[in-house]
Amino acid sequence: DEADRFGSWTSGQTLLYDQDGRLVYSGGITGGRGKPGNNTGRATVLALLAGSKPARATTQVFGCSLFAWLKGDSETQGDANGF
């Protein structure tokens, strides 16, 4: 499974790699579940794509656990970065 391969545990997680294959960003790109618009994650990804170095490389992820069914817990809401 690709999510497991890349270490992505939450449905809203975004991973961004540089041209050398290094992970440069891991986190969410929304300010909350179903909350589009400006937020730290979005600003971080846009800064990286523009060639800037943002203050942080991770942000909070909002979404559902991709692997809750493995634990038998349908209510688990994962957070890939421990927030």
Side-chain angles (χ1 to χ4, degrees), residues 61-81:
V61 178
F62 299 95
C64 297
S65 172
L66 297 174
F67 301 102
W69 61 273
L70 290 174
K71 298 177 185 178
D73 182 4
S74 63
E75 297 299 315
T76 300
Q77 293 183 354
D79 189 324
N81 294 312

Side-chain angles (χ1 to χ4, degrees), residues 29-31 34-43:
I29 56 171
T30 62
K35 306 281 186 200
N38 292 331
N39 61 76
T40 305
R42 182 177 185 273

Side-chain angles (χ1 to χ4, degrees), residues 6-81:
F6 286 100
S8 181
W9 300 97
T10 308
S11 62
Q13 186 173 11
T14 299
L15 304 172
L16 181 64
Y17 292 84
D18 69 10
Q19 65 271 15
D20 297 319
R22 289 184 297 249
L23 181 65
V24 294
Y25 175 75
S26 174
I29 56 171
T30 62
R33 187 180 303 228
K35 306 281 186 200
N38 292 331
N39 61 76
T40 305
R42 182 177 185 273
T44 300
V45 169
L46 291 174
L48 287 164
L49 293 173
S52 299
K53 182 157 174 66
R56 55 188 310 171
T58 63
T59 59
Q60 191 169 3
V61 178
F62 299 95
C64 297
S65 172
L66 297 174
F67 301 102
W69 61 273
L70 290 174
K71 298 177 185 178
D73 182 4
S74 63
E75 297 299 315
T76 300
Q77 293 183 354
D79 189 324
N81 294 312

